[in-house]
Amino acid sequence: MARRGQTRLRTTATVAGTVLVVVLEMALLTGVWHLGDGLGRQREAVAALSGTLTTLTTIAPASGEAASIAVDRAVQAVVASGVDTAPGSAGAALVDGARAFRTDPSAPATLASLRRADTALTAELRSATGTRAWTAFALHAALLVIASLGWFVWFRRLVDRHREIEHRLTARQVVDQRERRLLALVQNSADLVVVVEPDGTASFVTPSAAAMLGRDPEAHTGRPLGHLLGEGAVEVLRMVGVGRHGDQAVRVRLVHQDGRELVAEGTVTNLLDEPAVAAWVLTLRDVTDQHSLAEELAHQAFHDSLTGLANRALFSDRLEHALRRRGSGTAAVLFWDLDDFKLVNDTHGHSVGDRLLVVVADRLRGAVRPSDTVARLGGDEFAVLMEDVDQDWAVTVAERVLVALAEPVEIDGTLWTVRASVGVTTSSTGEPSGEEMLRDADIAMYWAKEHGKGTVSVYDTARHAASLEVMALQNELLRAIDGGELVLHFQPTIDLASRAVTGFEALVRWQHPERGLLGPAEFIPAAERSGLVVPLGSWVLREACRAAVTMGEGEAEPSMGVNVSSQQLVRPGFVEEVAQVLRESGLCPQRLVLEVTESVLLDDFEAAERALNGLRAIGVSIAIDDFGTGYSSLSYLSQLPVDILKVDKSFIDRVCAEDHSASVTLAILEMSRSLRLQTVAEGVETLEQAAWLEERACGRGQGFLWSRPVPLADARALLLRPVEDVAVGGPEDDAADDAEAVTA
């Protein structure tokens, strides 16, 4: 309104100024136009005087009195026209001449004086007329220039003013267009925009409130913000109350008109210093879907997708927190591994296995407290974190869970029984980290599997230390195989009738760099558990064949016995490996005797049978070692390509005693003869045992009575002469014999 009044006043002043300039210009032009009016009258009066004087002189001289009157009238007319009559001027001379002529009109001198004064006055007027003409011209030119410049400046200002007005109008139109566009954008935006007054009233609500909240924006305009946002307005009003300048990020939970919960985020902007707004502007957008997706991704990052249980990352995090805050309490970790679960996936597919895992997860959740953390660590491994419990209670829970898991589960008409092995550890064993506790529980779980599966095992530091020693031994053994620390000793097989050496059994020793020469009893069990028995057996086979080639000539060439583990025998390619070793060493296949125990045959009879048939096909002899200690049926002897029976030392020890052991040994000898097998008695230590065996036609023997296992050079020496009987005895010899019985 004030700006409109100023514009009207300025317009009025402009019009008044323009009129005033025009009037002044017209007045100046009029003044210049009439600037020579006085000189014209003077020139007319002087011209009349000149005519009168001319008439008096040349045309019609008059009487003196008439002439005097005519001259006086003409002079008075000149004086009346405004001619300058100041003393010394031409007008004064004219007046004086007229006065003299009136005194003596007939005197020529007076008339001549008048004519001279008239001539001078005429010249003076002529000069004044010319001056006045130039002055008028100059004034006209000046006025024209001034008017032109004035009008140019005025027109320029008028143009500038017009342009300014046009610019203002254009700018206003742009502003109006922008405001209309902004208003259209705000009104059609999906974001909710609310203008919040300092008192918390919503003075403006965009139409998007209907789509976002299901509420009529008009109904909530002019009302407190809480009517629109509900509890979400509390955080916004808190920010308004603080009064911080600039933008502030805000995240609120809202409730849709239909009851759905929404999550919205946006900004609260302080525009109190903006005159056009003078309020707070709240902008919110619906991020419910993004929030749900983020929560889902976070849940997937810390939970197992199949069972919904915590995963390893979340379990480890909670375990670390539990250890930091436990105070005087004790935390326990129970580690489950389902027994033989791989068979379920292999035989019935992963779909059945996954359904079993879901059942296991549900039963685990149902068997522990709600505060306990149940996790699936991967595959068929589960863990439970329990806080403020002792070891006994943890073991009780583990046993209770095993009972719950053992209940049959029906899937697609098939009943399944789930068995698991459980390892338990508690934080009372020291000040462990979460990773260490999980590792200890895992170790205890494997102990449970070693005890027959389906059991609970508690972690023990001493046992773990022993396990670490075994692991260190396994690492050292691997180095020994590759580093040339292993050596072979050879124990002869004796013909009981001639006492001649008919063969040798290769027995491995470890020349440990720190512990000295180690017998097989100290490292073979570790090799079998770690799988190193396979490369160890390959080394023994290769070196024994090389050694056999260097022993004896012609008919005196002894056989070479090599023990074979179950892992070697059923391993694919074992027969080809034996054939390749024979070719590389140059040993005749008939001189090689591979010795297997009954337990090896029982582990996988079909695979063992295929391997033994393959070995027989290339000419290798097969011996059953430690015969009589197994629990299998003797019928397999007729099915397998066996050449030699080696009677276990436990039977030989008691052949001279008066009990049924001698009868059992005799029965074995009779059975061997009936099957046309060669019989070797192991562990012969006394002359009485040798005599008993020789009397029963045992055939061959092996034991300390004739020789302990000896290095290769000493073994070669035994071939040069019959072996003498050297009786041995005592517990130390028995222990040594037991050690020699353990082979690769």
Side-chain angles (χ1 to χ4, degrees):
M1 184 66 72
R3 182 178 297 176
R4 185 178 299 174
Q6 292 177 359
T7 302
R8 184 177 299 172
L9 180 62
R10 183 179 298 176
T11 302
T12 302
T14 300
V15 173
T18 302
V19 172
L20 179 61
V21 169
V22 172
V23 170
L24 289 175
E25 189 177 29
M26 293 300 296
L28 287 173
L29 289 173
T30 302
V32 171
W33 176 264
H34 293 284
L35 185 63
D37 289 352
L39 288 176
R41 288 191 299 271
Q42 292 176 6
R43 289 180 62 185
E44 290 177 357
V46 171
L49 175 62
S50 296
T52 300
L53 291 178
T54 299
T55 302
L56 291 177
T57 303
T58 60
I59 300 176
S63 61
E65 184 178 357
S68 175
I69 292 172
V71 170
D72 284 340
R73 288 178 178 173
V75 171
Q76 289 178 357
V78 170
V79 172
S81 66
V83 174
D84 184 14
T85 57
S89 63
L94 180 62
V95 172
D96 291 341
R99 187 180 295 113
F101 183 77
R102 188 183 322 93
T103 303
D104 188 7
S106 59
T110 56
L111 183 60
S113 174
L114 282 172
R115 291 191 66 85
R116 286 194 300 274
D118 176 62
T119 302
L121 183 58
T122 300
E124 183 177 323
L125 288 176
R126 187 180 296 111
S127 175
T129 300
T131 300
R132 290 294 176 87
W134 282 107
T135 300
F137 175 77
L139 288 176
H140 275 91
L143 285 175
L144 181 62
V145 170
I146 291 173
S148 298
L149 290 176
W151 283 111
F152 176 78
V153 172
W154 180 254
F155 182 75
R156 181 63 181 268
R157 289 190 63 186
L158 185 63
V159 171
D160 291 342
R161 180 62 179 168
H162 175 75
R163 289 179 178 175
E164 180 181 357
I165 293 174
E166 185 179 26
H167 177 72
R168 288 180 180 178
L169 290 175
T170 303
R172 182 60 184 174
Q173 290 175 353
V174 171
V175 171
D176 291 343
Q177 184 178 3
R178 288 178 179 176
E179 289 179 351
R180 288 193 301 270
R181 181 183 300 173
L182 179 60
L183 181 60
L185 291 175
V186 170
Q187 289 181 339
N188 293 279
S189 173
D191 293 347
L192 175 62
V193 180
V194 182
V195 177
V196 183
E197 300 298 328
D199 61 355
T201 301
S203 60
F204 174 79
V205 181
T206 57
S208 56
M212 183 173 175
L213 299 175
R215 293 182 172 89
D216 182 12
E218 297 295 336
H220 292 84
T221 302
R223 304 186 66 182
L225 186 62
H227 285 270
L228 178 66
L229 303 184
E231 295 182 359
V234 175
E235 178 64 16
V236 177
L237 294 177
R238 184 190 66 80
M239 293 182 176
V240 171
V242 172
R244 185 181 303 171
H245 291 282
D247 295 339
Q248 302 178 63
V250 62
R251 188 184 185 94
V252 295
R253 289 187 176 272
L254 308 175
V255 179
H256 194 274
Q257 187 67 27
D258 59 10
R260 289 184 290 116
E261 290 190 0
L262 306 176
V263 178
E265 63 180 20
T267 58
V268 177
T269 305
N270 186 348
L271 295 181
L272 293 174
D273 297 333
E274 182 66 35
V277 182
W280 296 78
V281 177
L282 170 65
T283 304
L284 293 175
R285 69 187 61 88
D286 185 2
V287 295
T288 305
D289 293 340
Q290 297 91 316
H291 180 73
S292 299
L293 179 60
E295 287 185 340
E296 182 179 354
L297 292 176
H299 184 274
Q300 292 178 359
F302 293 102
H303 290 80
D304 177 56
S305 59
L306 176 64
T307 62
L309 299 178
N311 61 9
R312 183 180 290 271
L314 180 58
F315 185 85
S316 299
D317 181 71
R318 290 186 179 178
L319 179 55
E320 292 290 350
H321 281 81
L323 293 177
R324 284 197 295 266
R325 67 171 178 263
R326 73 176 188 269
S328 59
T330 301
V333 173
L334 286 66
F335 196 108
W336 270 271
D337 185 89
L338 304 185
D339 297 331
D340 303 321
F341 186 76
K342 184 176 182 298
L343 295 177
V344 178
N345 288 331
D346 292 344
T347 58
H348 289 77
H350 287 275
S351 60
V352 173
D354 289 347
R355 292 162 69 180
L356 273 178
L357 290 175
V358 173
V359 172
V360 170
D362 293 339
R363 290 184 177 181
L364 280 174
R365 272 191 292 250
V368 299
R369 302 172 301 182
S371 59
D372 298 331
T373 299
V374 183
R376 181 189 178 203
L377 303 182
D380 59 347
E381 293 181 342
F382 295 85
V384 173
L385 169 63
M386 306 178 70
E387 298 185 52
D388 299 324
V389 297
D390 56 17
Q391 179 176 294
D392 293 339
W393 179 250
V395 172
T396 300
V397 172
E399 292 174 344
R400 185 173 68 224
V401 172
L402 287 181
V403 173
L405 292 179
E407 295 183 6
V409 180
E410 183 177 353
I411 298 179
D412 295 337
T414 302
L415 288 178
W416 297 91
T417 300
V418 179
R419 299 177 70 249
S421 299
V422 189
V424 178
T425 186
T426 62
S427 57
S428 59
T429 58
E431 296 296 332
S433 65
E435 182 179 355
E436 290 172 342
M437 280 195 70
L438 200 56
R439 178 206 63 195
D440 295 344
D442 191 11
I443 292 172
M445 181 272 296
Y446 278 105
W447 292 346
K449 285 188 177 294
E450 292 176 0
H451 289 159
K453 303 180 181 179
T455 60
V456 179
S457 181
V458 179
Y459 175 78
D460 179 70
T461 53
R463 185 174 179 181
H464 186 204
S467 299
L468 292 178
E469 291 181 2
V470 172
M471 185 179 299
L473 182 65
Q474 293 172 354
N475 293 332
E476 293 176 354
L477 180 58
L478 179 61
R479 180 199 64 205
I481 295 173
D482 298 331
E485 297 179 7
L486 300 178
V487 295
L488 286 181
H489 284 192
F490 302 90
Q491 188 174 27
T493 300
I494 306 300
D495 184 284
L496 293 178
S498 64
R499 295 299 194 267
V501 175
T502 61
F504 289 92
E505 181 180 1
L507 301 170
V508 67
R509 300 290 186 269
W510 182 2
Q511 189 63 52
H512 196 281
E514 298 176 358
R515 300 168 60 185
L517 188 64
L518 302 180
E522 298 189 53
F523 60 88
I524 292 299
E528 290 177 339
R529 284 194 297 268
S530 63
L532 290 176
V533 71
V534 173
L536 176 60
S538 297
W539 182 90
V540 172
L541 175 64
R542 184 171 58 254
E543 295 301 321
C545 290
R546 290 175 180 175
V549 174
T550 66
M551 291 182 175
E553 296 179 358
E555 296 181 357
E557 292 180 344
S559 64
M560 178 59 67
V562 178
N563 292 277
V564 177
S565 68
S566 61
Q567 297 180 42
Q568 278 183 285
L569 185 63
V570 300
R571 184 167 175 259
F574 176 66
V575 176
E576 290 76 8
E577 178 186 356
V578 173
Q580 181 178 356
V581 170
L582 290 172
R583 287 193 301 271
E584 292 176 352
S585 64
L587 180 66
C588 177
Q590 286 72 24
R591 293 182 59 191
L592 178 62
V593 179
L594 296 183
E595 302 182 8
V596 295
T597 63
E598 289 182 278
S599 60
V600 170
L601 300 176
L602 294 176
D603 288 342
D604 190 344
F605 182 80
E606 293 182 358
E609 182 181 18
R610 287 194 299 271
L612 294 180
N613 286 325
L615 293 170
R616 168 58 68 82
I618 63 175
V620 175
S621 299
I622 307 298
I624 303 298
D625 196 14
D626 300 333
F627 184 79
T629 59
Y631 299 93
S632 62
S633 171
L634 298 180
S635 62
Y636 70 83
L637 289 177
S638 61
Q639 303 177 31
L640 298 176
V642 177
D643 302 289
I644 302 170
L645 282 185
K646 299 187 72 172
V647 183
D648 187 68
K649 180 181 182 298
S650 61
F651 293 98
I652 305 303
D653 287 341
R654 296 192 293 272
V655 293
C656 297
E658 295 182 357
D659 57 20
H660 69 283
S661 298
S663 301
V664 173
T665 305
L666 183 60
I668 294 175
L669 295 176
E670 292 293 339
M671 180 194 65
S672 179
R673 278 193 294 269
S674 65
L675 294 175
R676 298 181 181 181
L677 302 178
Q678 187 180 104
T679 307
V680 178
E682 294 184 298
V684 180
E685 298 177 352
T686 66
L687 294 172
E688 290 80 4
Q689 293 171 351
W692 190 95
L693 292 170
E694 186 177 357
E695 182 180 350
R696 270 72 176 177
C698 177
R700 295 179 181 181
Q702 180 182 359
F704 290 174
L705 177 63
W706 300 290
S707 175
R708 293 177 180 274
V710 294
L712 178 59
D714 296 339
R716 289 173 184 160
L718 292 175
L719 294 172
L720 301 178
R721 63 184 186 281
V723 179
E724 298 179 357
D725 296 341
V726 181
V728 296
E732 294 182 359
D733 292 325
D734 292 340
D737 186 33
D738 291 340
E740 302 301 345
V742 182
T743 65

